Amino acid sequence: MPLFLKPIFHEKVWGGSKLKTFGYNIPNERIGECWGISAHPNGKSEIENGHYAGQTLDQVWREHRELFGEFPSKDFPLMAKIVDANAPLSIHVHPDDSYAYENENGQYGKSECWYIIEADDNAEITIGTHAQSREEFENQLKDGSFEKYLRTVKVQPGDFYFVPAGTVHSIGAGIMAYEVMQSSDISYRIYDYQRKLHNKKRELSVSKALDVMDYSNELPNIAPQNEVIENHNCTHIVSSDFFTMVKWEITGTLNYMKPREFCLISVLEGKGKIIVDGDIFELEKGTNFVLTSEDLDSVFEGDFTLIISYI
C-alpha cells in the first residue's frame, strides 16, 4: 500500500501564501516551504493511511526497511518540497557529502533540482558565480560587489535546473518551484538582505560557504529526454548520482512499473486516482506519497501532472 504523507509547512522571511493553491491549509501568510515528503529531523512527514497511519516516515524507514527494498542507507535519502518565494531567498550554498559528513555530524550534503511551477514576468534565479577563485569571491564580498558577478537566469513555468552541491544559488521573488534533493537541511548563507525573522537576523555562514563553493564556473549540462509512453508525455528531467527526476503528463490510463524499489510521487496539477494491487486511492493537486517495494501493480487514471523521483 502506498504511504500517503501529511505536508509540513515552514515559515520563512521570504515566504508567502501561494501554497494555498495546492489545497493546503497553511498556518499563516509567510509560508515559504511545504515539505511534502521528508524523513529529516527538521520535518518528519506523518503517514496518513493504512497500517502505518500516525507514524512518521523516518520511523517506518528504520523499523520496516523491507518496504524500501532493504535500501542500504542509514537515513531516508531524499526529500521533496515546494518553495513559494514571495521575496528572494538568501544567497547561499550547500556542502557535498564529504564536507557535511566531516563538519555537520555525519549528515548528507545537498544536491538538488528545481522544477519551476510558476514564475512572474522577469522572475529570475541565481545559479553560480563568475568568480574564478575563493580569493576573488572574498574580495568581491569585502568591496560589496559580489552580487554583480553572480549568474542570473530568467525563468518561466516548465523550466528546470540541477543545482549540484557547491553551487552558489538563490530562487528569486515571484517563483514557485518544486524541489527534489538529498535529505539535508544544511545551508550556508552568504547574504540575506539584512532581513529579520521574529526580530532576529538569520545567521550567515560565510566561512563555510567559501569552503564548499565551486569556482569552476561551469553549470551542469542537463538535456531533458522526452518520450511518449502509452500516449502520455514523459520527460526525464535529470538523472544524477543522487536521484532521478521524471515528469509525467497523464491523460487517461497509464500502467506504471516502478523503476526502483521505492519512488517519491507528487501531484502538481489535476486529479485522478492510482490503483495499486487492486486498491483505489484518489489523487489531486498537492498529494504526496511513496510507492513502496510491496506496491507491485500500479495503474494511474485521470488527467494530471506528476513528478516521480527515485535513487
Side-chain angles (χ1 to χ4, degrees):
M1 181 179 291
L3 305 177
F4 286 86
L5 302 167
K6 183 178 180 180
I8 302 160
F9 303 109
H10 289 269
E11 182 178 347
K12 299 290 183 180
V13 67
W14 41 261
S17 60
K18 287 184 179 179
L19 286 167
K20 291 178 181 177
T21 65
F22 279 79
Y24 297 141
N25 183 23
I26 61 175
N28 61 54
E29 303 290 304
R30 298 184 74 181
I31 300 301
E33 295 183 345
C34 166
W35 291 19
I37 304 174
S38 170
H40 193 277
N42 293 347
K44 303 174 182 180
S45 296
E46 180 182 324
I47 297 164
E48 296 187 301
N49 68 303
H51 179 73
Y52 304 104
Q55 297 184 36
T56 55
L57 183 57
D58 68 308
Q59 179 182 352
V60 175
W61 174 263
R62 289 194 310 270
E63 298 175 2
H64 299 281
R65 194 64 64 86
E66 71 278 3
L67 295 176
F68 308 94
E70 303 293 346
F71 192 84
S73 171
K74 179 174 70 75
D75 301 314
F76 190 81
L78 298 179
M79 182 190 301
K81 66 170 74 167
I82 302 173
V83 171
D84 173 17
N86 187 53
L89 278 63
S90 65
I91 306 297
H92 63 281
V93 65
H94 307 302
D96 63 13
D97 285 342
S98 60
Y99 189 94
Y101 185 84
E102 292 180 10
N103 296 277
E104 303 291 349
N105 300 315
Q107 295 186 64
Y108 286 119
K110 189 197 280 192
S111 289
E112 60 190 22
C113 187
W114 307 337
Y115 173 77
I116 307 300
I117 301 171
E118 295 181 12
D120 292 348
D121 291 343
N122 295 316
E124 60 184 24
I125 61 170
T126 295
I127 182 166
T129 174
H130 294 289
Q132 301 288 313
S133 66
R134 175 175 182 151
E135 180 182 22
E136 184 179 351
F137 194 82
E138 281 186 292
N139 289 334
Q140 293 169 3
L141 281 173
K142 288 175 183 175
D143 65 23
S145 66
F146 82 98
E147 285 186 277
K148 293 190 296 184
Y149 297 95
L150 297 175
R151 181 188 288 106
T152 58
V153 180
K154 294 192 186 305
V155 299
Q156 57 187 4
D159 290 347
F160 54 87
Y161 297 89
F162 181 50
V163 186
T167 306
V168 62
H169 63 277
S170 172
I171 295 177
I175 295 172
M176 183 179 287
Y178 179 82
E179 297 186 351
V180 172
M181 65 200 68
Q182 293 178 269
S183 183
S184 173
D185 198 28
I186 305 170
S187 291
Y188 299 147
R189 296 189 192 96
I190 298 168
Y191 182 65
D192 197 36
Y193 307 95
Q194 308 298 318
R195 296 179 298 197
K196 294 182 179 180
L197 183 63
H198 305 306
N199 295 317
K200 195 174 180 184
K201 285 185 180 179
R202 297 195 301 169
E203 182 182 354
L204 301 181
S205 303
V206 177
S207 178
K208 286 184 173 180
L210 293 169
D211 285 344
V212 303
M213 279 179 60
D214 180 1
Y215 301 99
S216 66
N217 204 26
E218 295 181 1
L219 292 180
N221 182 17
I222 302 299
Q225 302 295 319
N226 293 294
E227 60 180 325
V228 176
I229 300 176
E230 295 184 26
N231 296 317
H232 309 287
N233 192 46
C234 174
T235 305
H236 292 265
I237 294 174
V238 64
S239 185
S240 72
D241 291 340
F242 308 106
F243 51 79
T244 292
M245 187 173 170
V246 182
K247 182 175 76 166
W248 282 90
E249 296 167 277
I250 298 171
T251 301
T253 301
L254 170 67
N255 296 287
Y256 183 70
M257 182 176 294
K258 293 197 313 293
R260 287 302 303 267
E261 295 86 350
F262 66 98
C263 298
L264 286 61
I265 304 180
S266 297
V267 183
L268 299 189
E269 285 290 345
K271 61 182 180 179
K273 59 188 176 183
I274 184 172
I275 305 166
V276 180
D277 300 326
D279 294 324
I280 300 174
F281 303 92
E282 298 297 324
L283 304 178
E284 62 183 3
K285 182 177 180 178
T287 301
N288 301 282
F289 62 101
V290 176
L291 278 180
T292 74
S293 62
E294 295 183 353
D295 300 324
L296 302 178
D297 182 20
S298 302
V299 179
F300 290 104
E301 292 184 1
D303 187 359
F304 42 71
T305 300
L306 310 174
I307 298 285
I308 301 181
S309 306
Y310 49 90
I311 297 293

